[in-house]
Amino acid sequence: MFYKKYLAAFCFVAVCFSACSKSQVADNNKSDNSENEIEEIEEIPEMLVTVESSSSTLDSVMLGGSLWTLNKDGYMDWLRDMPAGTRVGAYKNTDANESYPAEIRRDALRTSDWSRRNFVHIVYDSNEYWVQEIFIAVDAKPAIVIESGTPLFSEPSTESKAERWLGQGTLIAVSKKRPENHSFLQASAYVSDYGLVPNRFIESSKVSTNADDITAMQLYAKLHQVNGEGFWVIQDMAVRGELEDIINRLSTSAKIKEKVSKK
């Protein structure tokens, strides 16, 4: 009964913020080739979506981007945008001469603007698609940043160079392979004003890979999102109460419970 209630509320929030999500995705797409440096990113992520992988695929995470289909002429047709944090299965690469772990089609033309991109073959919701290489982390799982100003390091050490700073609530992908220094995770993030930041290192204490923690932080961000005039975007108190109830029912970690309990 709880899950039906959760799903209904989740869908309601998704509808309420579809316009905001489309605007955010549009900003991501426009910055596909941007090389501008930034210092800190504060983001409110899209809601997490999951899909099961099989033995012929690698668990992978989309960091935004879109689904594409391969047409009969060998070109890529745009299908629809996808939220950051979406879990997909990337087909394993069977080409012995190709070092990339997943099946990849290089320099494929996309019909949206006839530019060339590398595309990775995936399965999502039991259907086959292609996604641009810069928007997917292969053999990884989703995670969420739980502290503002969290740095991404070039090496698994706080003494190494901090290359980017991520905001609380940013969805990232962390590799299933742990570095020798277990206080760190290998992470990839997509920064809207820069692009893909792959294979950097983040302190494990600054992120959570727990599914309920991710959901709680996302709902918490929605509850506290304000418009340009400083007013809550969600002003319906009944809806706010429902979302707070969902957050309280989730099996979150102690650190997340403390964060989401703050008004």
Side-chain angles (χ1 to χ4, degrees), residues 53-224:
S53 296
S54 70
S55 59
S56 62
T57 61
L58 296 167
D59 290 322
S60 303
V61 182
M62 287 188 65
L63 298 168
S66 309
L67 296 179
W68 299 73
T69 57
L70 185 65
N71 67 28
K72 60 182 180 60
D73 297 316
Y75 303 134
M76 293 292 178
D77 292 328
W78 179 89
L79 183 62
R80 63 186 176 94
D81 295 319
M82 296 294 285
T86 301
R87 295 180 60 189
V88 301
Y91 285 102
K92 294 179 180 177
N93 201 329
T94 58
D95 185 352
N97 298 317
E98 176 62 70
S99 60
Y100 192 78
E103 182 182 343
I104 188 168
R105 182 179 288 261
R106 299 189 181 277
D107 295 323
L109 282 168
R110 56 186 193 184
T111 57
S112 58
D113 59 1
W114 298 107
S115 61
R116 294 184 180 275
R117 295 288 188 274
N118 295 338
F119 286 83
V120 178
H121 197 190
I122 69 157
V123 58
Y124 169 73
D125 198 21
S126 301
N127 294 304
E128 294 184 22
Y129 303 102
W130 295 82
V131 300
Q132 292 183 78
E133 180 189 7
I134 63 169
F135 288 107
I136 188 170
V138 176
D139 199 20
K141 56 186 176 181
I144 198 162
V145 178
I146 61 178
E147 292 188 18
S148 295
T150 294
L152 286 175
F153 294 100
S154 58
E155 300 292 337
S157 167
T158 55
E159 301 299 318
S160 64
K161 179 182 177 182
E163 299 187 340
R164 293 287 182 277
W165 287 262
L166 303 178
Q168 177 178 290
T170 303
L171 274 166
I172 62 174
V174 295
S175 173
K176 291 186 175 182
K177 298 178 180 178
R178 295 290 297 269
E180 290 186 8
N181 183 351
H182 280 192
S183 63
F184 281 81
L185 295 168
Q186 185 171 322
S188 297
Y190 187 86
V191 179
S192 59
D193 293 332
Y194 179 80
L196 182 68
V197 184
N199 303 322
R200 300 303 193 267
F201 297 91
I202 192 168
E203 292 175 272
S204 56
S205 61
K206 307 287 188 182
V207 302
S208 177
T209 59
N210 178 279
D212 278 2
D213 283 356
I214 294 173
T215 301
M217 289 294 291
Q218 289 177 300
L219 293 176
Y220 180 78
K222 294 298 184 186
L223 275 172
H224 292 79

